[in-house]
């Protein structure tokens, strides 16, 4: 499962090796590239349910599941509610800032939060290019990195920017489990 700024193409470099040993499913999460961008506030719970539905419909469960960034947070949230779907999981850099939000010793977290705040300010102002560039150069890859990215990857960042803004507005994105528990029949209100 890819992160906030990407799509299923993020997995292209590792697919040949994975498909030699496993049946592999990659897809674009809602709001990314070829997937629908439904109106209204989305939630990580919806992404979790999308993954569960794909795994069950395509008979991929139980499975080894890998997630990156927001995708890793989503995988962890689903695994906490539906462990029977998982044979194992890899969570690379899950964006669970809420888990460490109160730790004053983590100055890096405060600095990262400020930089992400700047990205969000650009996106809220409709400055998609400025927000995507700032994310790439100040949060993810470093100064000058935007101009070094292939055109297709820059387009993916620009296309994904509204979904990143939406994800940041989900009150449950920062937690280690989604607000919906097994006792909760649907997404939080």
């Amino acid at each position: 499962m890819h992160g906030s700024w990407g799509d299923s193409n993020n997995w292209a470099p590792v697919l040949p090796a994975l498909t030699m040993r496993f049946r592999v499913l990659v897809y674009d999460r809602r709001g990314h590239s070829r997937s629908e961008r439904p109106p209204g506030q989305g939630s990580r719970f919806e992404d979790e349910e999308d993954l569960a539905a794909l795994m069950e419909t395509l008979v991929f469960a139980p499975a080894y599941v890998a997630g990156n960034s927001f995708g890793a947070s989503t995988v962890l949230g689903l695994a906490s509610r539906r462990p029977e779907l998982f044979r194992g999981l890899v969570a690379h850099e899950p964006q669970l800032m809420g888990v460490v939000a109160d730790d004053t010793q983590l100055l890096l977290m405060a600095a990262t939060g400020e930089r992400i705040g700047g990205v969000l300010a650009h996106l809220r102002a409709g400055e998609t290019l400025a927000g995507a560039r700032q994310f790439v150069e100040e949060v993810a890859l470093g100064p000058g990195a935007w101009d070094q990215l292939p055109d297709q990857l820059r387009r993916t960042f620009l296309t994904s920017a509204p979904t990143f803004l939406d994800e940041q507005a989900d009150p449950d994105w920062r937690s280690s489990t989604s607000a919906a528990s097994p006792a909760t029949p649907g997404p939080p209100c």
Side-chain angles (χ1 to χ4, degrees), residues 48-67:
E48 292 171 12
E49 290 301 299
D50 290 347
L51 176 58
L54 280 169
M55 291 173 74
E56 291 172 327
T57 301
L58 300 174
V59 193
F60 266 85
Y64 295 104
V65 181

Side-chain angles (χ1 to χ4, degrees), residues 56-135:
E56 291 172 327
T57 301
L58 300 174
V59 193
F60 266 85
Y64 295 104
V65 181
N68 172 255
S69 191
F70 193 87
S73 301
T74 302
V75 168
L76 288 169
L78 179 60
S80 73
R81 293 185 303 106
R82 302 280 313 274
E84 74 279 4
L85 296 176
F86 293 83
R87 188 166 286 162
L89 66 87
V90 175
H92 178 253
E93 294 183 343
Q95 301 303 303
L96 301 173
M97 292 359 173
V99 173
V100 295
D102 296 331
D103 190 336
T104 58
Q105 301 300 312
L106 295 174
L107 299 176
L108 176 63
M109 292 303 296
T112 301
E114 288 176 20
R115 288 191 294 268
I116 289 175
V119 170
L120 295 173
H122 282 302
L123 298 179
R124 287 183 191 113
E127 301 165 352
T128 305
L129 175 58
R133 179 185 287 273
Q134 183 175 0
F135 183 84

